[in-house]
Amino acid sequence: MINILQTLGLAFKAKRILIGEDIFVALKSNKVTLIILAKDVSENTKKRFHDKAKFYDVEIIEAFSKIELGEALGKGYVSAIGILDIKLKDKFINFLESR
């Protein structure tokens, strides 16, 4: 689990992932390939992200907590991550399937 969180941290520094409201802007231009939503977000936030992901036909996965995602990216709390890179998306999905 630590390995995939470290990978997310490196991808954030390389600007291959987005966090927060920036995800909605990138969804409109079809740049987001996967959304990772923290397990402990509010129902309102969960509904908002699921509705947008369904509308733009983007896969959404609920994994980790806001604290775990935030620590991986060097932030406080992170509710959602938008992955822009298709290879990173594949790596993350393979990781989850192997768990």
Side-chain angles (χ1 to χ4, degrees), residues 1-10 12 17 19 36-41 62-81 92 95-96 99:
M1 179 169 83
I2 293 173
N3 186 25
I4 197 69
L5 290 174
Q6 290 172 343
T7 303
L8 289 176
L10 290 172
F12 180 66
I17 62 174
I19 58 173
I36 302 169
L37 192 62
K39 292 179 187 176
D40 55 348
V41 295
E62 292 185 32
F64 308 112
S65 68
K66 292 190 286 189
I67 294 173
E68 289 172 323
L69 292 176
E71 287 176 355
L73 304 181
K75 301 284 184 185
Y77 296 102
V78 174
S79 297
I81 295 176
F92 192 81
F95 166 77
L96 289 178
R99 283 182 25 181

Side-chain angles (χ1 to χ4, degrees), residues 42-60:
S42 69
E43 288 300 317
N44 186 32
T45 302
K46 189 179 292 189
K47 181 183 179 332
R48 188 169 174 219
F49 274 97
H50 277 280
D51 289 348
K52 289 287 185 180
K54 184 177 180 181
F55 182 80
Y56 290 106
D57 195 30
V58 174
E59 189 174 356
I60 189 165

Side-chain angles (χ1 to χ4, degrees), residues 23-39:
I23 297 170
F24 295 123
V25 175
L27 277 171
K28 292 178 183 176
S29 58
N30 293 323
K31 293 182 180 177
V32 177
T33 61
L34 174 70
I35 296 174
I36 302 169
L37 192 62
K39 292 179 187 176

